[in-house]
Amino acid sequence: MINSLENNPPHQVVIVGGGFGGLYTAKALAKANVNVTLIDKRNFHLFQPLLYQVATGTLSPADISSPLRSVLSKSKNTKVLLGEVSDIDPEVQQVMVGDEAVPYDTLIIATGAKHSYFGKDNWEKFAPGLKTVEDAIEMRRRIFTAFEAAEQETDPEKRRAWLTFVIVGGGPTGVELAGAIAELAYQTLKEDFRNIDTSETRILLLEGMDRILPPFAPELSQAAEASLKKLGVVVQTKTLVTNIENDIVTLKQGDEVKEIASKTILWAAGVKASPIGKVLAERTGVECDRAGRVIVEPDLSIKKHSNIFVIGDLANFSHQNGKPLPGVAPVAKQEGEYVAGLIQQRLKGNTLPQFAYIDRGSLAMISQNSAVADLGFIKLKGFFAWLFWLLIHIYFLIEFDNKLVVIIQWAWNYITRNRGARLITGQESLPLTVTSDSSYYTATENRQPINV
Amino acid sequence: MINSLENNPPHQVVIVGGGFGGLYTAKALAKANVNVTLIDKRNFHLFQPLLYQVATGTLSPADISSPLRSVLSKSKNTKVLLGEVSDIDPEVQQVMVGDEAVPYDTLIIATGAKHSYFGKDNWEKFAPGLKTVEDAIEMRRRIFTAFEAAEQETDPEKRRAWLTFVIVGGGPTGVELAGAIAELAYQTLKEDFRNIDTSETRILLLEGMDRILPPFAPELSQAAEASLKKLGVVVQTKTLVTNIENDIVTLKQGDEVKEIASKTILWAAGVKASPIGKVLAERTGVECDRAGRVIVEPDLSIKKHSNIFVIGDLANFSHQNGKPLPGVAPVAKQEGEYVAGLIQQRLKGNTLPQFAYIDRGSLAMISQNSAVADLGFIKLKGFFAWLFWLLIHIYFLIEFDNKLVVIIQWAWNYITRNRGARLITGQESLPLTVTSDSSYYTATENRQPINV
């Protein structure tokens, strides 16, 4: 029900999720005649596109995060609630956060998605993904510990396994990780070890389709692959991972089956919607796709509940070109701004035409001085793509917060070819006992999220 | 045994600990005709004096850490070993790192000290200290979670407990923490919450002696106390903590006993030497003081083992003025440089006069624009002390690494009165369920260090 302005209490908008979708919705409603409650289980907005730079030791988590309260402190109609939504009641129109019921007139769910192991969830402890700050710190720990372990390893076969990195998934995340680890191994760490020569590091990027960066134009996929190869990365397309167990990756290329011994396997593939999608489906009957994403209407609401919206990576919006919009930041941003506009129009008794995404292009960075950018009308590669990548990321970073430090950090790294944030930290890093049969798995199995 | 230069393999120097003492020793031996092995259980040098700024959300861990390999990469005679020394064999002259034996001709132990609970180690889970990066992240989590919990707390008594911070220990760490939390509560977070008014926060600084900053000149202790009071901190001297349990701090002031309800108790008191001091005592018969610090000779070696040195916070050097030199960075630095010089002199068949510390003064920051500096011949307070504090810290920070980002970050915070690094992260932060009887203790009890 939409409340009219005059005699009723202000319209209550509840937004679940402070990522690109949720935060842009909140910002767009800052001056609207509504009350907004933004709920997130973290106290900060995370700029996920740069998580791989935390994982490879260039940036710190705080460099790519903005405290939600700080971003929204000037929005006097907005309050931030730190908590996790466990249930939705579309009849009473409220969400449950712990014991607390939070009532809404309009509900926007923007809790995103993570990577998927295609049903093989037991692979997760062998091959961590990159979704949260903690994931990035753990990935960073594994990457840098691998070099330390190789330095102390006397058995040549085991040393080779420590110096072999396998990245599963040839989308932007996998490509950027591969490029960053190559720069690390072949440039940054070159002088830092005495027993090993880091230039012996092998980095494999595995992709199931016939080219990396499948959503990009084919010539850019080619350019990206050439850049990676020039950096020293081994790119293997049409390659499926059939098993990951302890330190062995089993892969299938056509009829051929191969095994690779690697102590550091990183996962950058698949899509799995956040669990709240399922809750919503149970409570409202809305349908979800195979990845768990919620099928939305042309105006981003869900069937039979015009006051419940789903945006961002959690949404499956296929009304524009027959297949779902990709789970990228600009889509979430535009969807959030659209819904904010729609809410305000409805309050005046109006509506808006259906949502239409304006695709301004895709970007992926390979390494310093080299990126690919598909802007539709123009395709860039190499140095100019990289410059464009820089400017776009800086723009997004300073949108919510002033990340001058990131710019300085990048400038410094560029000049010195160094990486300042390559700490091995976290509970699993103490004490460090690297023995010849060391593995990361005990550590991950013991990682339990704990209630405060 | 000291090897002469001509016919024997190079002199093997093993340094345990990459803090101020160990790292300055290694740097000073970079061009000496010795082989150096630096062993640390972390892969980075940590600038501990600024840990409190990580704990209060101004800086990130990487801003105050330098990767050891990077610092020492140009020292071709130096290798870095990531590991923990579990045993020392002074007969064979080797240290044990896991299964590996690392032989030495000269051994320097610089593993430092941490805070002490005066025998009440069970207080640790209620009142964490500030020694490692993980400590700082955990402290940060508690500080920022307290405000979040208060925001959701409906019971006024419990809310008051969430908005009460108790810091135990009136030395530089405690003073700096108190000042930083006061700035946070009364300035930075003022506009960020809707249900609570953070200016209602109470911050108590408890000190057992008759004044805070006891090593400083009395008029500076007074100035610091006045600054803190002006900021809104409640300073209680001649106050001993007799118990900490769940959310209650029991204290004794003269004959009076009081109880304070606080959900966030931070420990910044006491000294306890690292465990390797005990190992050394068992293996060599050297004596330790009550805090476990190793009693050293006038040349920083230990009795009956002229080729084993102990420096930094682990050492008790009382030959200069009858009581041990304080556990501060400049002492460790000068001791490290002295031992490096002594090793080189011995190789030529010479020696050096006994170690003499040059005390250039003490510094403590209260808040932006306010600090105290005791430089002996001159005492500074207020703005000039703060400027001096800044310059000294910048000098130390860039000594090993270029921390331009820290300078930019500080400059930005100063201008905007904001803090960019106030994330709640770590395993214990997920999922966050703040209920009215929430406590941090379950989380800490489950924090197990895990082997890689």
Side-chain angles (χ1 to χ4, degrees):
Chain A
M1 296 300 294
I2 310 291
N3 292 333
S4 75
L5 286 170
E6 286 81 18
N7 347 45
N8 299 337
H11 190 93
Q12 192 69 28
V13 178
V14 170
I15 304 171
V16 185
F20 274 100
L23 200 45
Y24 272 103
T25 311
K27 291 290 268 183
L29 289 172
K31 298 229 179 331
N33 189 19
V34 296
N35 280 346
V36 181
T37 300
L38 180 86
I39 305 172
D40 198 306
K41 48 186 191 179
R42 309 312 301 270
N43 72 326
F44 54 90
H45 163 81
L46 177 66
F47 189 73
Q48 290 181 38
L50 285 180
L51 258 183
Y52 83 95
Q53 289 212 6
V54 175
T56 52
T58 298
L59 295 176
S60 292
D63 297 336
I64 62 169
S65 311
S66 309
L68 288 168
R69 293 190 179 284
S70 190
V71 176
L72 296 169
S73 74
K74 292 195 168 39
S75 306
K76 291 307 173 194
N77 66 342
T78 302
K79 63 202 262 195
V80 175
L81 183 59
L82 184 68
E84 192 168 1
V85 170
S86 52
D87 207 353
I88 302 165
D89 189 336
E91 303 306 311
V92 180
Q93 290 190 171
Q94 66 188 19
V95 295
M96 297 306 297
V97 182
D99 298 327
E100 192 183 342
V102 181
Y104 66 82
D105 294 308
T106 298
L107 177 65
I108 300 151
I109 303 181
T111 51
K114 56 181 283 195
H115 44 279
S116 150
Y117 293 89
F118 306 117
K120 313 271 188 166
D121 286 341
N122 58 307
W123 288 355
E124 182 161 18
K125 61 179 180 292
F126 301 123
L130 194 61
K131 195 67 187 173
T132 65
V133 162
E134 287 73 16
D135 288 347
I137 300 290
E138 172 60 12
M139 210 181 254
R140 178 179 76 184
R141 184 186 73 82
R142 291 188 185 210
I143 292 170
F144 288 99
T145 300
F147 292 104
E148 296 289 345
E151 173 83 340
Q152 296 184 38
E153 180 56 69
T154 45
D155 180 326
E157 237 185 80
K158 288 173 174 156
R159 197 188 314 132
R160 192 165 156 79
W162 280 117
L163 288 179
T164 301
F165 294 82
V166 174
I167 296 142
V168 182
T173 304
V175 166
E176 288 169 339
L177 267 175
I181 295 175
E183 282 189 322
L184 208 56
Y186 307 135
Q187 291 170 28
T188 315
L189 300 178
K190 233 177 18 175
E191 303 293 312
D192 283 10
F193 293 87
R194 302 288 175 253
N195 299 337
I196 59 170
D197 178 2
T198 59
S199 58
E200 288 174 10
T201 305
R202 281 188 316 155
I203 300 159
L204 283 80
L205 177 63
L206 309 179
E207 165 57 39
M209 297 193 70
D210 62 347
R211 57 191 174 103
I212 58 173
L213 299 179
F216 286 57
E219 63 256 45
L220 291 180
S221 298
Q222 237 179 349
E225 184 166 337
S227 275
L228 281 175
K229 283 182 168 160
K230 195 163 155 211
L231 261 185
V233 175
V234 175
V235 180
Q236 311 221 302
T237 51
K238 293 192 245 183
T239 301
L240 294 170
V241 171
T242 55
N243 197 29
I244 303 180
E245 203 162 345
N246 298 322
D247 304 327
I248 311 279
V249 182
T250 313
L251 33 109
K252 194 160 171 297
Q253 288 168 330
D255 291 323
E256 243 188 290
V257 171
K258 282 194 200 159
E259 281 191 352
I260 302 174
S262 161
K263 290 275 194 179
T264 312
I265 306 155
L266 310 174
W267 193 267
V271 176
K272 187 159 96 175
S274 49
I276 217 179
K278 230 180 247 162
V279 174
L280 191 64
E282 283 166 19
R283 297 277 176 262
T284 66
V286 71
E287 279 182 55
C288 296
D289 67 14
R290 265 190 330 173
R293 288 177 299 195
V294 177
I295 315 273
V296 294
E297 301 299 294
D299 68 353
L300 296 165
S301 65
I302 63 173
K303 216 175 210 137
K304 289 189 261 167
H305 292 85
S306 60
N307 67 335
I308 298 181
F309 295 90
V310 179
I311 60 173
D313 293 7
L314 183 57
N316 177 326
F317 182 93
S318 302
H319 303 278
Q320 193 158 335
N321 43 25
K323 53 178 190 146
L325 289 178
V328 293
V331 170
K333 176 183 198 283
Q334 290 184 28
E335 289 176 343
E337 287 165 341
Y338 172 88
V339 170
L342 182 58
I343 290 170
Q344 294 179 79
Q345 287 302 318
R346 283 181 178 180
L347 284 174
K348 297 182 198 163
N350 299 335
T351 185
L352 283 179
Q354 77 172 56
F355 173 69
Y357 172 60
I358 305 171
D359 187 347
R360 296 201 172 91
S362 309
L363 287 176
M365 169 143 115
I366 318 292
S367 67
Q368 289 188 358
N369 295 332
S370 177
V372 290
D374 188 347
L375 309 177
F377 58 95
I378 186 172
K379 291 160 182 41
L380 301 174
K381 51 190 187 192
F383 181 74
F384 285 104
W386 177 73
L387 208 59
F388 186 75
W389 179 96
L390 262 188
L391 295 170
I392 291 287
H393 279 74
I394 288 170
Y395 167 76
F396 269 106
L397 276 173
I398 64 177
E399 178 94 69
F400 293 138
D401 207 344
N402 284 284
K403 294 300 188 186
L404 182 60
V405 280
V406 176
I407 300 164
I408 304 285
Q409 186 82 67
W410 281 347
W412 190 257
N413 289 352
Y414 185 71
I415 296 166
T416 64
R417 303 252 147 199
N418 207 343
R419 279 158 199 271
R422 39 181 159 131
L423 316 183
I424 297 174
T425 63
Q427 284 318 300
E428 291 82 1
S429 66
L430 301 165
L432 183 76
T433 332
V434 181
T435 59
S436 51
D437 59 355
S438 278
S439 76
Y440 301 115
Y441 318 130
T442 317
T444 317
E445 273 160 5
N446 282 307
R447 260 175 87 193
Q448 307 282 343
I450 310 288
N451 283 345
V452 164
Chain B
M1 297 300 295
I2 311 292
N3 292 331
S4 76
L5 287 170
E6 287 81 19
N7 347 46
N8 298 338
H11 190 91
Q12 192 69 27
V13 177
V14 170
I15 305 171
V16 186
F20 274 101
L23 200 45
Y24 273 104
T25 311
K27 291 289 269 181
L29 288 172
K31 301 230 180 327
N33 188 20
V34 296
N35 280 344
V36 180
T37 300
L38 180 86
I39 306 172
D40 198 304
K41 49 186 190 180
R42 310 312 300 268
N43 72 327
F44 54 90
H45 163 81
L46 177 66
F47 189 73
Q48 290 181 39
L50 286 178
L51 257 184
Y52 83 96
Q53 289 212 6
V54 176
T56 51
T58 299
L59 296 177
S60 293
D63 298 336
I64 62 169
S65 310
S66 309
L68 288 168
R69 292 189 180 285
S70 188
V71 176
L72 295 169
S73 76
K74 292 196 168 39
S75 306
K76 291 307 173 196
N77 66 342
T78 301
K79 65 202 261 193
V80 175
L81 185 59
L82 183 68
E84 192 168 1
V85 170
S86 51
D87 207 353
I88 303 166
D89 189 336
E91 303 306 310
V92 180
Q93 291 190 168
Q94 66 189 19
V95 294
M96 297 306 297
V97 181
D99 298 327
E100 193 183 341
V102 182
Y104 66 82
D105 294 307
T106 298
L107 176 66
I108 300 151
I109 304 181
T111 51
K114 57 182 280 194
H115 44 280
S116 151
Y117 294 89
F118 306 117
K120 313 275 189 163
D121 286 341
N122 57 309
W123 289 354
E124 183 160 18
K125 62 179 178 292
F126 302 123
L130 194 61
K131 195 66 187 175
T132 66
V133 162
E134 287 73 16
D135 288 348
I137 301 289
E138 171 61 12
M139 210 181 255
R140 178 178 76 183
R141 184 186 74 82
R142 291 187 184 211
I143 291 170
F144 288 99
T145 301
F147 291 104
E148 296 289 344
E151 173 84 340
Q152 296 184 38
E153 181 56 70
T154 44
D155 180 326
E157 238 186 77
K158 288 175 175 155
R159 196 189 313 134
R160 191 165 156 80
W162 279 117
L163 289 178
T164 300
F165 293 81
V166 174
I167 297 142
V168 181
T173 304
V175 165
E176 288 168 337
L177 267 176
I181 296 175
E183 283 188 323
L184 208 57
Y186 307 136
Q187 292 169 29
T188 315
L189 301 179
K190 235 178 15 175
E191 302 293 313
D192 283 11
F193 293 87
R194 301 287 174 255
N195 299 336
I196 59 170
D197 178 2
T198 59
S199 59
E200 289 174 8
T201 306
R202 281 189 316 156
I203 301 159
L204 283 80
L205 177 64
L206 310 179
E207 164 58 38
M209 297 193 70
D210 61 348
R211 56 191 174 101
I212 57 172
L213 298 180
F216 286 58
E219 64 256 44
L220 290 180
S221 297
Q222 238 178 348
E225 184 165 339
S227 277
L228 282 174
K229 283 181 168 158
K230 195 161 155 215
L231 261 186
V233 175
V234 174
V235 180
Q236 311 221 302
T237 52
K238 295 192 248 184
T239 300
L240 293 170
V241 170
T242 55
N243 197 30
I244 303 180
E245 204 161 345
N246 300 323
D247 305 326
I248 310 279
V249 183
T250 314
L251 33 109
K252 193 160 172 297
Q253 289 168 328
D255 291 323
E256 242 189 290
V257 171
K258 282 192 199 162
E259 281 192 350
I260 301 173
S262 161
K263 290 274 195 181
T264 313
I265 306 156
L266 309 174
W267 192 268
V271 176
K272 187 159 96 174
S274 49
I276 217 179
K278 231 178 246 164
V279 174
L280 191 64
E282 283 166 20
R283 298 276 176 261
T284 65
V286 70
E287 279 182 54
C288 297
D289 66 14
R290 266 190 329 172
R293 288 177 299 195
V294 177
I295 315 272
V296 295
E297 301 299 294
D299 68 353
L300 296 165
S301 65
I302 62 173
K303 214 174 211 141
K304 289 189 262 166
H305 291 85
S306 60
N307 67 336
I308 299 180
F309 295 89
V310 179
I311 60 174
D313 292 7
L314 183 58
N316 177 325
F317 182 93
S318 302
H319 303 278
Q320 193 157 336
N321 42 25
K323 51 177 192 151
L325 289 179
V328 294
V331 170
K333 176 183 198 284
Q334 290 185 27
E335 289 177 343
E337 287 166 343
Y338 172 87
V339 169
L342 182 58
I343 289 170
Q344 293 178 79
Q345 286 302 318
R346 283 180 178 181
L347 284 174
K348 297 182 200 164
N350 300 334
T351 185
L352 284 179
Q354 77 173 56
F355 173 69
Y357 173 60
I358 306 171
D359 188 347
R360 296 200 172 89
S362 307
L363 287 175
M365 170 142 113
I366 317 293
S367 67
Q368 291 187 358
N369 296 331
S370 177
V372 289
D374 187 346
L375 309 176
F377 57 96
I378 187 173
K379 291 161 183 39
L380 302 172
K381 52 190 186 191
F383 182 74
F384 285 105
W386 177 74
L387 208 59
F388 186 75
W389 179 97
L390 264 188
L391 295 171
I392 290 287
H393 279 74
I394 289 170
Y395 167 74
F396 268 106
L397 275 174
I398 64 177
E399 179 92 71
F400 293 138
D401 206 344
N402 284 285
K403 295 300 188 187
L404 183 61
V405 280
V406 176
I407 298 164
I408 304 287
Q409 185 83 67
W410 281 347
W412 191 258
N413 288 352
Y414 185 70
I415 296 164
T416 63
R417 301 253 146 198
N418 207 345
R419 279 158 198 272
R422 37 181 161 130
L423 318 183
I424 297 174
T425 63
Q427 285 317 300
E428 291 82 1
S429 65
L430 300 164
L432 183 76
T433 333
V434 181
T435 60
S436 51
D437 58 356
S438 278
S439 76
Y440 300 114
Y441 318 129
T442 318
T444 317
E445 272 160 6
N446 282 307
R447 260 175 86 193
Q448 307 283 343
I450 310 288
N451 282 347
V452 165

